[in-house]
Amino acid sequence: MLGIGAAAFAVVNCLEGCSKQNSNTTAPSVNFTLNLLDPANSALNKNGGFIYSNGVIVAKTMTGAYIAVSQSCTHAGVTVQYESAQNDFYCPAHGSSFSSNGAVTGGPAPSALKSYSTALSGTSLHVWG
């Protein structure tokens, strides 16, 4: 009996968690600079590389452009990943996908990821928005 009750509780909690949508869809403003010589940022020195910093996922596309969006999926707050071959972002938890500028291209995410501006000056990458 106790095992059935625990299992039912777990199922209900899972279903509630999967059905809740992130009510905080407005990502905070950011303003930071990444030193591309810093080993922690070395992934940004090659096309297709990405890092997480200050709540933002920053990526270098296969064409060499830098893009940045909020790292938390608007569905359940899970950290998104950059998919360099498709030049988009993907949430591994429930399958939401986003374009390179953060627009929703596949649900269940209810809204876009916040997109940030980037500017490269020498070996410094400024991210803001």
Side-chain angles (χ1 to χ4, degrees):
M1 229 11 150
L2 182 60
I4 294 172
F9 179 77
V11 167
V12 167
N13 280 338
C14 178
L15 291 175
E16 282 182 6
C18 290
S19 67
K20 287 182 184 173
Q21 293 188 355
N22 186 358
S23 61
N24 182 14
T25 57
T26 52
S29 294
V30 299
N31 188 358
F32 62 92
T33 301
L34 299 168
N35 178 352
L36 298 182
L37 296 178
D38 184 334
N41 303 326
S42 65
L44 295 176
N45 292 318
K46 66 179 191 299
N47 293 354
F50 67 93
I51 65 163
Y52 301 100
S53 181
N54 299 289
V56 176
I57 180 170
V58 182
K60 186 173 185 183
T61 67
M62 296 307 283
T63 61
Y66 290 98
I67 55 176
V69 297
S70 54
Q71 78 179 45
S72 296
C73 179
T74 57
H75 172 242
V78 174
T79 298
V80 298
Q81 300 170 347
Y82 178 63
E83 295 185 313
S84 59
Q86 291 82 20
N87 192 36
D88 66 6
F89 298 94
Y90 175 75
C91 180
H94 302 108
S96 292
S97 56
F98 306 88
S99 69
S100 62
N101 68 359
V104 177
T105 57
S111 58
L113 301 171
K114 179 168 179 163
S115 181
Y116 298 99
S117 299
T118 61
L120 182 64
S121 178
T123 59
S124 296
L125 180 64
H126 184 205
V127 179
W128 76 97

